[in-house]
Each structure stands twice: as C-alpha cells, then as structure tokens.
Amino acid sequence: MRIVYAPPKNIGFFGGDPDNFEWPRHDGDFTFMRAYVGQDGKPADYATGNVPYKPKKFLSISMGGVKENDFVMVMGYPGSTRRYRESYSVAYNQDMALPFQIDVFNKQIDELQNAGKNDPELQLKLQSRIFDIANTLKDLEGSVVALRRFGVVDQKRTEEAAFTRWLNANPDHQRKYGEVLPSLQKAYDELTGTAHRDLIVQQLAELSDLFQILSLVNRVGADKQKPQAERDAMTALRARGALPEILANRNGPSERTFLAFFLRKAAELPAGQKFDAAEKLFGNLKGETRVRAEENFARAFAESKNFATAESVSGLFDKTAAQLKELNEPVIEFAGEVSDLADQIDLHQRAFNATVARWRPLLVQGMSEMHANKPYPDANRTLRFTYGDVKGYVPHDAAIYQPFTNLSGVIEKDTGREPFDVPAKLKQLFRTRDFGPYATPDGQNVPVDFLSTTDIVGGNSGSPVMNGRGEQVGIIFDGNYEGLGNDFFYNDAKGRAIAVDIRYVLFIVDKFGGAGYLLKELDIKNAPAALRRAA
C-alpha cells in the first residue's frame, strides 16, 4: 500500500480537537492510497517494479451528491457496542468505571502538557498521544452526560420490571428465566462493593514497567526461602534482560505524579474499601500531613539511586526479603503488596465475568421472547452494515443544525492560527469561485461535510457512505457529541454520523492539490467527460 495523496493538516485535520465530535464540522479527512502487486498480479513484497492492483470489483463514486432525507448506507468495521446490558452494568459504567477513567485521562493530559511546556521538540512528539487521549476523554465525558440525560439506567430498570411481571405471570417463563436478574444483581452487588478500590489498585499495579519490576523483585526475594526447584528463575532472568530498555524509557516525573495521584485516590476511599498496602504507610496520618507523606513517598521512588541504573535494579534480584527490607525502600514491599492484591482482584473479576457470561445471554433471550422480536446483534469488530437518512438535528433548546456544511463555512472559521488556519490557495479558490464541477447547484459553494442517522461507533472512521445505488457519496470520520453514549444505546433523535462529502474530496485532490489525474483511475458517476475513468 502506498500513499498517493493526502491533504495538508490544515484541511485534513481542520478544526482539530476543538471541533472533535462537534457540528457544524468542516474537516477534509481523507487519504488516497493505492494497492500494488507483482508484475504477475500476485501479492509481493515492496519493489519498484510492482504494478497497481486492478480488482474485478470496486466501489463507484457519485458526484450527484445527497439531499436532506436521502437514503444512505454505511459498511465498515466498528469496534463494539453494549446495547443489551442489564441496568446494573449501565449504572456501574455511568457512576463508577467511566468517571474514574475520566479522572485518570484528565491527569494524563495535564502531565503530558506540563512535560512539553518548556521543550518545544518534546511538545511536538507528545501531540499525537495527547490528541488520542483527549479524543477518548471527550468520548467518555459525552457518554456519561448522555447516559444521565436520557435516563438510560431508569429505562433499563423499567424494562426489567416489565420483564419480572412477565415472568411472574407464567410459571414456564419463571422456571426458565426466574434466576437471571437476581443472579446478575448479586454479581454486581459484589463487584460494586469494592469497585473504587479495585479500579485504583489495578491502575497502581500497572503504574510503570519499573514498578512492575519491583513487585517481581519482592516476589523473587520471598522465593529465596523456597527450594530451588520451586523458584521462578526464568521470569527474573527475562526481567533482568529487559532492564536497560525499561530504564532508558523511564519517565521519573510521570511516575512520581501518578503514584501520588493514586495514593490520594486511595486516601479518599470509604472506610470499607481502603487497602492495607496504602493504610500501612499512611493510615495514621491526616489531612495535609498525609498528602505531604504521599508526595514524599512518590518522590523517593522517582529519585532513588537504587532504581537509577540497570545494574542497581538487577542487583535487587539477588537479595533476600530481609536484605530488601534493610535497603529502606518501602516502595519495593508496597509494589509487591499492590501486585498481590491486583492478582486477587483479577480472580474475582474472572469469577464475575463467568457469572455474567452465564446469565446475560439468557436475559437477552428472555427479553426477545417477551417482546416477540429478534434484536440486531451488538457490534463486535466485524463487518457491519447500517442505513439511515441524511438529516440534521436539534442539539439543544432554540438551536437547529442543518445537515450540510460548505466551503464558505471553512472560510468563516479561518483565524490564521492552528487548528483554524485555512491554506492561502483554498481561500483563493473560494474568492474566485474556482470550484470546477464540484460546486453546489447554485455554483456559489463546495459541499464539505454532511450528517446522517446511520448508526456508527468508534472504529467506523474511513467507512464509505453510499447512496441507494451503492455508489460512494462520502467517507465517515466522526460522530456528534450529542450522540455519544451509543455504546449503550442508540439515540435516533440526536445521534448523527459525520462524513466528508466525496465532492469535497475530489475538489481538494483536483483543484487544490493539482492531482486531478488521479481521478481518472476512479469510476465516477455523474461526472464530466474529463473526470471519467480511463478505459
């Protein structure tokens, strides 16, 4: 696969993070690639003599465009959805798991931005990672807002109450499905009883590669009391071999920040969820005294000479548990205790998953029987087809969003600064109305992006949008903020897929990029003769 044409960043990523998940959108998010094969037409490693692959079947493109209420289809490979989860699962995610992840991601972004604040080169290297985290963060925040705004937990509970009444009205149904909801509720009661603690411990256990090495050092020291045959020598050997790379990539300031962050989270746990590893170190301290002690502990870990070189860390594997204690490095014992607790949590999680895997399919089956229908399957990272209409929406009181944006909107957003810096040539094309065959019917604009009710989720980016004749009219690249939470429910009134109009793609390649010759390799319907596919 070779990149043939990609627009500049201030077209392909126009609007950047501020416009992410937002409408109106003016992003030209696309890239042209070409597949190559050997001269015999078969797959081959890269070689200058390879030739473009010519498939027997391919998508045609339509320059006819789309209108409001037009039928459209999308095929692609989205991630996964959880549309049939029980109310207990939705409540757990809404009130515990997602808010915790949001806190962690916010902290990560703060730390990465601080790291690059005084280092422009590092700042540039971190931008992609910051964007990835910010994208996920906005998705999670929007999902929590949507779940609460639309009362999804209450909707699920209402449906489960109806299911219980349906069971009670029929002894056969009761025998078949009567244990489902009580069993799921019991499993979630046990899960949520220590959920906040478990989330913190799991994050602590994976604080860094070095922290995991120290947990292993603790175990190896304890193993020295066992017979030689019962010791896990290979794991320690592999860990020692990895130390030079681990230490070279270590980020001490980040370790310090996040260790203190999770210790603070641990201090805020309710009495029934506090864990011994943290309480043994800080449990007798209060208020600012405890905060300072936690910060000093994190600083000592980040700055300790015993963890500074591969040789010094490797030497820890040779020490017994008693000798490790003499080093006065409490983080070693702490890492071991956190790891042990994380292993226990993992066992409980496996038991929980087994329980849910047993009863959840029965709940879906019973609900299907009650409603006398067959529900469509959840997305599971395989090829998925969805259809809908080109349609705007009402985001909030007193506002109506139209389903189309145009090049004039790109120009209106221009500030001259990233991420709203419109290229000079694009502004010139707009001023002179040099739109070629890609203009709107009145000749005064070029269509840029459009909305549809097609049911997409994360992973659908890049999926083709087709009209009713199976001709490509757009490319999916995002969803709207008001439609987030669609992992758990589909919101027909506000959920929208955002696509770049194929006419904008062709316009950028041809009029802006000067690569119109590429379009002759495509099968373009409703196009002037100059753009039709070469014989």
Side-chain angles (χ1 to χ4, degrees), residues 215-236:
S215 70
L216 180 59
V217 163
N218 193 74
R219 293 184 186 186
V220 169
D223 274 357
K224 287 185 167 46
Q225 298 175 4
K226 299 178 181 177
Q228 189 72 35
E230 297 179 20
R231 300 178 189 176
D232 185 5
M234 286 305 299
T235 301

Side-chain angles (χ1 to χ4, degrees), residues 45 104 127 143 176 279 358 381 393 421 440 451 503:
D45 292 334
V104 172
Q127 282 308 301
S143 295
K176 194 173 182 181
E279 290 307 294
R358 176 185 176 188
R381 303 181 186 276
Y393 68 103
D421 51 332
T440 52
L451 298 172
R503 290 169 291 178

Side-chain angles (χ1 to χ4, degrees), residues 23 25-30 32 61-68 70 72 390 403-407 437-441 445-451 463 465 472-477 497-509:
W23 186 261
R25 198 73 180 272
H26 299 86
D27 201 355
D29 192 349
F30 71 92
F32 273 53
I61 287 173
S62 173
M63 278 182 58
V66 288
K67 304 183 301 297
E68 190 167 8
D70 274 1
V72 287
V390 176
F404 302 100
T405 58
N406 297 290
L407 183 56
Y438 314 106
T440 52
N445 238 315
V446 178
V448 175
D449 296 331
F450 66 89
L451 298 172
S463 300
V465 184
Q472 186 170 5
V473 292
I475 306 168
I476 293 292
F477 69 88
I498 304 177
V500 57
D501 195 298
I502 204 69
R503 290 169 291 178
Y504 191 56
V505 172
L506 302 180
F507 166 74
I508 293 298
V509 172

